[in-house]
CSV table of all heavy atoms in Angstrom, one decimal:
chain,number,residue,atom,x,y,z
A,282,ILE,N,0.8,-1.2,0.0
A,282,ILE,CA,0.0,0.0,0.0
A,282,ILE,C,0.9,1.2,0.0
A,282,ILE,O,1.6,1.5,1.0
A,282,ILE,CB,-1.0,0.0,1.2
A,282,ILE,CG1,-1.7,-1.3,1.3
A,282,ILE,CG2,-1.9,1.2,1.1
A,282,ILE,CD1,-2.6,-1.6,0.1
A,283,GLU,N,0.8,2.0,-1.1
A,283,GLU,CA,1.7,3.1,-1.2
A,283,GLU,C,1.1,4.4,-0.6
A,283,GLU,O,-0.1,4.6,-0.7
A,283,GLU,CB,1.9,3.4,-2.7
A,283,GLU,CG,3.0,4.5,-3.0
A,283,GLU,CD,3.1,4.8,-4.5
A,283,GLU,OE1,2.3,4.3,-5.3
A,283,GLU,OE2,4.1,5.5,-4.8
A,284,ILE,N,2.0,5.1,0.1
A,284,ILE,CA,1.5,6.4,0.7
A,284,ILE,C,2.0,7.6,-0.1
A,284,ILE,O,3.3,7.7,-0.4
A,284,ILE,CB,2.1,6.5,2.2
A,284,ILE,CG1,1.8,5.3,3.0
A,284,ILE,CG2,1.4,7.8,2.8
A,284,ILE,CD1,0.3,4.9,3.1
A,285,LEU,N,1.1,8.3,-0.6
A,285,LEU,CA,1.4,9.6,-1.3
A,285,LEU,C,1.2,10.8,-0.4
A,285,LEU,O,0.4,10.7,0.5
A,285,LEU,CB,0.6,9.7,-2.6
A,285,LEU,CG,0.6,8.5,-3.5
A,285,LEU,CD1,-0.3,8.7,-4.7
A,285,LEU,CD2,2.0,8.2,-4.0
A,286,PHE,N,1.8,11.9,-0.8
A,286,PHE,CA,1.7,13.1,0.0
A,286,PHE,C,1.4,14.3,-0.9
A,286,PHE,O,2.1,14.6,-1.9
A,286,PHE,CB,2.9,13.4,0.8
A,286,PHE,CG,3.4,12.3,1.8
A,286,PHE,CD1,4.2,11.3,1.3
A,286,PHE,CD2,2.9,12.4,3.1
A,286,PHE,CE1,4.5,10.3,2.2
A,286,PHE,CE2,3.2,11.3,3.9
A,286,PHE,CZ,4.0,10.3,3.5
A,287,GLN,N,0.2,15.0,-0.6
A,287,GLN,CA,-0.1,16.2,-1.4
A,287,GLN,C,0.3,17.4,-0.6
A,287,GLN,O,-0.2,17.7,0.4
A,287,GLN,CB,-1.6,16.3,-1.8
A,287,GLN,CG,-1.9,17.4,-2.7
A,287,GLN,CD,-3.2,17.3,-3.4
A,287,GLN,OE1,-4.2,16.9,-2.8
A,287,GLN,NE2,-3.3,17.7,-4.7
A,288,PRO,N,1.2,18.3,-1.2
A,288,PRO,CA,1.6,19.5,-0.5
A,288,PRO,C,0.5,20.5,-0.2
A,288,PRO,O,-0.4,20.6,-1.0
A,288,PRO,CB,2.7,20.0,-1.4
A,288,PRO,CG,3.2,18.9,-2.2
A,288,PRO,CD,2.0,18.0,-2.4
A,289,GLN,N,0.7,21.2,0.8
A,289,GLN,CA,-0.3,22.3,1.2
A,289,GLN,C,0.5,23.6,1.3
A,289,GLN,O,1.6,23.6,1.8
A,289,GLN,CB,-1.0,22.0,2.6
A,289,GLN,CG,-1.8,20.7,2.5
A,289,GLN,CD,-2.2,20.2,3.9
A,289,GLN,OE1,-1.6,20.5,4.9
A,289,GLN,NE2,-3.4,19.6,3.9
A,290,PHE,N,-0.1,24.6,0.8
A,290,PHE,CA,0.6,25.9,0.6
A,290,PHE,C,-0.1,27.0,1.4
A,290,PHE,O,-1.3,27.1,1.5
A,290,PHE,CB,0.6,26.3,-0.9
A,290,PHE,CG,1.2,25.3,-1.8
A,290,PHE,CD1,0.4,24.2,-2.3
A,290,PHE,CD2,2.5,25.4,-2.1
A,290,PHE,CE1,1.0,23.3,-3.1
A,290,PHE,CE2,3.1,24.4,-3.0
A,290,PHE,CZ,2.3,23.4,-3.5
A,291,ARG,N,0.7,27.9,2.0
A,291,ARG,CA,0.2,29.0,2.7
A,291,ARG,C,-0.3,30.1,1.7
A,291,ARG,O,0.4,30.4,0.8
A,291,ARG,CB,1.2,29.6,3.6
A,291,ARG,CG,0.7,30.7,4.6
A,291,ARG,CD,1.7,31.0,5.7
A,291,ARG,NE,3.0,31.5,5.2
A,291,ARG,CZ,4.0,31.6,6.0
A,291,ARG,NH1,4.0,31.2,7.3
A,291,ARG,NH2,5.2,32.1,5.5
A,292,CYS,N,-1.4,30.7,2.0
A,292,CYS,CA,-1.9,31.7,1.2
A,292,CYS,C,-1.1,33.0,1.4
A,292,CYS,O,-0.6,33.2,2.5
A,292,CYS,CB,-3.4,32.1,1.5
A,292,CYS,SG,-4.6,30.8,1.0
A,293,GLY,N,-0.9,33.7,0.3
A,293,GLY,CA,-0.1,35.0,0.4
A,293,GLY,C,1.3,34.8,-0.2
A,293,GLY,O,1.6,35.3,-1.2
A,294,ASP,N,2.1,34.0,0.4
A,294,ASP,CA,3.5,33.8,-0.1
A,294,ASP,C,3.7,32.5,-0.8
A,294,ASP,O,4.8,32.2,-1.3
A,294,ASP,CB,4.5,34.0,1.0
A,294,ASP,CG,4.4,33.0,2.2
A,294,ASP,OD1,3.6,32.0,2.0
A,294,ASP,OD2,5.0,33.2,3.2
A,295,GLY,N,2.8,31.5,-0.7
A,295,GLY,CA,2.9,30.2,-1.4
A,295,GLY,C,3.8,29.3,-0.8
A,295,GLY,O,4.2,28.2,-1.3
A,296,ARG,N,4.3,29.6,0.5
A,296,ARG,CA,5.2,28.7,1.2
A,296,ARG,C,4.6,27.4,1.5
A,296,ARG,O,3.4,27.3,1.9
A,296,ARG,CB,5.7,29.3,2.4
A,296,ARG,CG,6.7,28.5,3.2
A,296,ARG,CD,7.2,29.3,4.5
A,296,ARG,NE,8.0,28.5,5.3
A,296,ARG,CZ,8.6,29.0,6.4
A,296,ARG,NH1,8.3,30.2,6.9
A,296,ARG,NH2,9.4,28.1,7.1
A,297,VAL,N,5.3,26.3,1.3
A,297,VAL,CA,4.8,24.9,1.6
A,297,VAL,C,4.7,24.8,3.1
A,297,VAL,O,5.7,25.0,3.8
A,297,VAL,CB,5.7,23.8,1.0
A,297,VAL,CG1,5.2,22.4,1.4
A,297,VAL,CG2,5.8,24.0,-0.5
A,298,LEU,N,3.6,24.4,3.6
A,298,LEU,CA,3.4,24.2,5.1
A,298,LEU,C,3.5,22.8,5.5
A,298,LEU,O,3.9,22.5,6.7
A,298,LEU,CB,2.0,24.7,5.5
A,298,LEU,CG,1.7,26.2,5.2
A,298,LEU,CD1,0.2,26.5,5.5
A,298,LEU,CD2,2.6,27.0,6.1
A,299,GLY,N,3.2,21.9,4.6
A,299,GLY,CA,3.3,20.5,4.9
A,299,GLY,C,2.5,19.6,3.9
A,299,GLY,O,2.5,20.1,2.7
A,300,ALA,N,2.0,18.5,4.2
A,300,ALA,CA,1.3,17.7,3.2
A,300,ALA,C,0.3,16.7,3.8
A,300,ALA,O,0.4,16.4,5.0
A,300,ALA,CB,2.4,16.8,2.5
A,301,GLU,N,-0.7,16.4,3.0
A,301,GLU,CA,-1.7,15.4,3.5
A,301,GLU,C,-1.3,14.0,2.9
A,301,GLU,O,-0.9,13.8,1.8
A,301,GLU,CB,-3.1,15.8,2.9
A,301,GLU,CG,-4.1,14.8,3.3
A,301,GLU,CD,-5.5,15.1,2.6
A,301,GLU,OE1,-5.5,16.0,1.8
A,301,GLU,OE2,-6.4,14.3,2.8
A,302,ALA,N,-1.4,13.0,3.8
A,302,ALA,CA,-1.1,11.6,3.4
A,302,ALA,C,-2.3,11.0,2.8
A,302,ALA,O,-3.4,11.1,3.3
A,302,ALA,CB,-0.6,10.8,4.7
A,303,LEU,N,-2.1,10.3,1.7
A,303,LEU,CA,-3.1,9.6,0.9
A,303,LEU,C,-2.6,8.2,0.6
A,303,LEU,O,-1.4,8.0,0.3
A,303,LEU,CB,-3.5,10.4,-0.3
A,303,LEU,CG,-3.9,11.9,-0.2
A,303,LEU,CD1,-3.9,12.6,-1.5
A,303,LEU,CD2,-5.3,11.9,0.5
A,304,ALA,N,-3.5,7.3,0.6
A,304,ALA,CA,-3.2,5.8,0.3
A,304,ALA,C,-3.5,5.5,-1.1
A,304,ALA,O,-4.5,6.0,-1.7
A,304,ALA,CB,-3.8,4.9,1.2
A,305,ARG,N,-2.7,4.6,-1.8
A,305,ARG,CA,-3.0,4.1,-3.1
A,305,ARG,C,-2.5,2.6,-3.2
A,305,ARG,O,-1.5,2.3,-2.6
A,305,ARG,CB,-2.4,4.9,-4.1
A,305,ARG,CG,-2.7,4.5,-5.6
A,305,ARG,CD,-2.2,5.5,-6.6
A,305,ARG,NE,-0.7,5.5,-6.6
A,305,ARG,CZ,0.0,6.3,-7.4
A,305,ARG,NH1,-0.6,7.2,-8.1
A,305,ARG,NH2,1.3,6.2,-7.4
A,306,TRP,N,-3.3,1.8,-3.9
A,306,TRP,CA,-2.9,0.4,-4.1
A,306,TRP,C,-2.9,0.1,-5.5
A,306,TRP,O,-3.9,0.3,-6.2
A,306,TRP,CB,-3.9,-0.5,-3.3
A,306,TRP,CG,-3.7,-1.9,-3.4
A,306,TRP,CD1,-2.5,-2.6,-3.7
A,306,TRP,CD2,-4.7,-3.0,-3.3
A,306,TRP,NE1,-2.7,-4.0,-3.7
A,306,TRP,CE2,-4.0,-4.2,-3.4
A,306,TRP,CE3,-6.0,-3.0,-2.9
A,306,TRP,CZ2,-4.7,-5.4,-3.3
A,306,TRP,CZ3,-6.7,-4.1,-2.8
A,306,TRP,CH2,-6.0,-5.4,-3.0
A,307,GLN,N,-1.8,-0.3,-6.1
A,307,GLN,CA,-1.7,-0.7,-7.5
A,307,GLN,C,-1.9,-2.2,-7.5
A,307,GLN,O,-1.1,-3.0,-7.3
A,307,GLN,CB,-0.3,-0.4,-8.0
A,307,GLN,CG,-0.2,-0.5,-9.5
A,307,GLN,CD,-1.0,0.6,-10.3
A,307,GLN,OE1,-1.3,1.7,-9.7
A,307,GLN,NE2,-1.5,0.3,-11.5
A,308,HIS,N,-3.2,-2.6,-7.8
A,308,HIS,CA,-3.6,-4.0,-7.9
A,308,HIS,C,-3.1,-4.6,-9.2
A,308,HIS,O,-3.2,-4.0,-10.3
A,308,HIS,CB,-5.1,-4.1,-7.8
A,308,HIS,CG,-5.6,-5.5,-7.5
A,308,HIS,ND1,-5.7,-6.4,-8.6
A,308,HIS,CD2,-5.9,-6.2,-6.4
A,308,HIS,CE1,-6.2,-7.6,-8.1
A,308,HIS,NE2,-6.3,-7.5,-6.8
A,309,PRO,N,-2.5,-5.8,-9.1
A,309,PRO,CA,-1.9,-6.4,-10.4
A,309,PRO,C,-3.0,-6.6,-11.5
A,309,PRO,O,-2.6,-6.6,-12.7
A,309,PRO,CB,-1.3,-7.7,-9.8
A,309,PRO,CG,-2.0,-8.0,-8.5
A,309,PRO,CD,-2.3,-6.6,-8.0
A,310,GLN,N,-4.2,-6.8,-11.2
A,310,GLN,CA,-5.2,-7.1,-12.2
A,310,GLN,C,-6.1,-5.8,-12.5
A,310,GLN,O,-6.4,-5.5,-13.6
A,310,GLN,CB,-6.1,-8.2,-11.9
A,310,GLN,CG,-5.6,-9.6,-12.2
A,310,GLN,CD,-4.4,-10.0,-11.3
A,310,GLN,OE1,-4.6,-9.8,-10.0
A,310,GLN,NE2,-3.4,-10.6,-11.7
A,311,LEU,N,-6.5,-5.2,-11.4
A,311,LEU,CA,-7.5,-4.1,-11.6
A,311,LEU,C,-6.8,-2.7,-11.7
A,311,LEU,O,-7.5,-1.7,-12.0
A,311,LEU,CB,-8.4,-4.1,-10.3
A,311,LEU,CG,-9.3,-5.3,-10.2
A,311,LEU,CD1,-10.1,-5.2,-8.9
A,311,LEU,CD2,-10.2,-5.5,-11.4
A,312,GLY,N,-5.5,-2.6,-11.5
A,312,GLY,CA,-4.9,-1.3,-11.7
A,312,GLY,C,-5.0,-0.5,-10.4
A,312,GLY,O,-5.2,-1.1,-9.3
A,313,ARG,N,-4.9,0.8,-10.6
A,313,ARG,CA,-4.9,1.7,-9.4
A,313,ARG,C,-6.2,1.7,-8.7
A,313,ARG,O,-7.3,1.8,-9.3
A,313,ARG,CB,-4.6,3.1,-9.8
A,313,ARG,CG,-4.3,4.1,-8.7
A,313,ARG,CD,-4.2,5.5,-9.1
A,313,ARG,NE,-5.5,6.1,-9.4
A,313,ARG,CZ,-5.6,7.4,-9.6
A,313,ARG,NH1,-4.6,8.2,-9.8
A,313,ARG,NH2,-6.8,7.9,-9.8
A,314,ILE,N,-6.1,1.5,-7.3
A,314,ILE,CA,-7.2,1.6,-6.4
A,314,ILE,C,-7.0,2.8,-5.5
A,314,ILE,O,-6.0,2.7,-4.7
A,314,ILE,CB,-7.5,0.3,-5.7
A,314,ILE,CG1,-7.8,-0.8,-6.7
A,314,ILE,CG2,-8.6,0.4,-4.7
A,314,ILE,CD1,-8.0,-2.2,-6.1
A,315,GLY,N,-7.8,3.8,-5.5
A,315,GLY,CA,-7.5,5.0,-4.7
A,315,GLY,C,-8.1,4.7,-3.3
A,315,GLY,O,-8.6,3.7,-2.9
A,316,ALA,N,-7.9,5.8,-2.5
A,316,ALA,CA,-8.2,5.6,-1.1
A,316,ALA,C,-9.6,5.3,-0.8
A,316,ALA,O,-9.9,4.5,0.1
A,316,ALA,CB,-7.8,6.9,-0.3
A,317,GLY,N,-10.6,5.9,-1.5
A,317,GLY,CA,-12.0,5.6,-1.3
A,317,GLY,C,-12.4,4.1,-1.4
A,317,GLY,O,-12.9,3.6,-0.5
A,318,ALA,N,-12.0,3.6,-2.6
A,318,ALA,CA,-12.3,2.2,-2.8
A,318,ALA,C,-11.5,1.3,-1.9
A,318,ALA,O,-12.0,0.2,-1.5
A,318,ALA,CB,-12.1,1.9,-4.3
A,319,LEU,N,-10.3,1.7,-1.7
A,319,LEU,CA,-9.4,0.9,-0.8
A,319,LEU,C,-10.0,0.7,0.6
A,319,LEU,O,-10.1,-0.4,1.1
A,319,LEU,CB,-8.1,1.6,-0.7
A,319,LEU,CG,-7.0,0.9,0.2
A,319,LEU,CD1,-6.7,-0.5,-0.3
A,319,LEU,CD2,-5.7,1.8,0.1
A,320,PHE,N,-10.6,1.8,1.1
A,320,PHE,CA,-11.2,1.7,2.5
A,320,PHE,C,-12.5,0.9,2.4
A,320,PHE,O,-12.9,0.3,3.4
A,320,PHE,CB,-11.4,3.0,3.1
A,320,PHE,CG,-10.2,3.5,3.9
A,320,PHE,CD1,-9.2,4.4,3.3
A,320,PHE,CD2,-10.0,3.1,5.2
A,320,PHE,CE1,-8.1,4.7,4.0
A,320,PHE,CE2,-8.9,3.5,5.9
A,320,PHE,CZ,-7.9,4.3,5.3
A,321,ALA,N,-13.2,1.0,1.3
A,321,ALA,CA,-14.4,0.3,1.1
A,321,ALA,C,-14.1,-1.2,1.1
A,321,ALA,O,-14.8,-2.1,1.7
A,321,ALA,CB,-15.2,0.7,-0.2
A,322,ILE,N,-13.1,-1.6,0.4
A,322,ILE,CA,-12.7,-3.1,0.4
A,322,ILE,C,-12.3,-3.5,1.9
A,322,ILE,O,-12.7,-4.5,2.3
A,322,ILE,CB,-11.5,-3.3,-0.5
A,322,ILE,CG1,-11.9,-3.0,-2.0
A,322,ILE,CG2,-10.9,-4.7,-0.4
A,322,ILE,CD1,-10.8,-2.8,-2.9
A,323,ALA,N,-11.6,-2.6,2.5
A,323,ALA,CA,-11.1,-2.9,3.9
A,323,ALA,C,-12.3,-3.1,4.8
A,323,ALA,O,-12.3,-3.9,5.7
A,323,ALA,CB,-10.2,-1.8,4.4
A,324,GLU,N,-13.3,-2.2,4.6
A,324,GLU,CA,-14.5,-2.3,5.5
A,324,GLU,C,-15.3,-3.6,5.3
A,324,GLU,O,-15.7,-4.3,6.2
A,324,GLU,CB,-15.5,-1.1,5.1
A,324,GLU,CG,-16.7,-1.1,6.1
A,324,GLU,CD,-17.5,0.2,5.8
A,324,GLU,OE1,-17.1,1.0,5.0
A,324,GLU,OE2,-18.6,0.3,6.4
């Protein structure tokens, strides 16, 4: 299960403040499975 990070930017000067962690699964048959479907399968 790969963890991706989307940067977050401060308004005004555009400075990077941090990032949000997101999950992704590259299934060998079905291809990319994003966080929403991934958690539905886990549920």
Side-chain angles (χ1 to χ4, degrees):
I282 306 300
E283 184 181 14
I284 310 300
L285 305 179
F286 299 90
Q287 185 165 38
Q289 298 171 330
F290 303 86
R291 185 166 63 191
C292 287
D294 61 10
R296 180 178 176 179
V297 179
L298 298 175
E301 177 187 1
L303 303 165
R305 183 174 68 183
W306 179 23
Q307 192 68 29
H308 191 277
Q310 277 74 42
L311 297 178
R313 190 187 78 175
I314 297 177
L319 180 56
F320 272 96
I322 295 166
E324 185 174 357

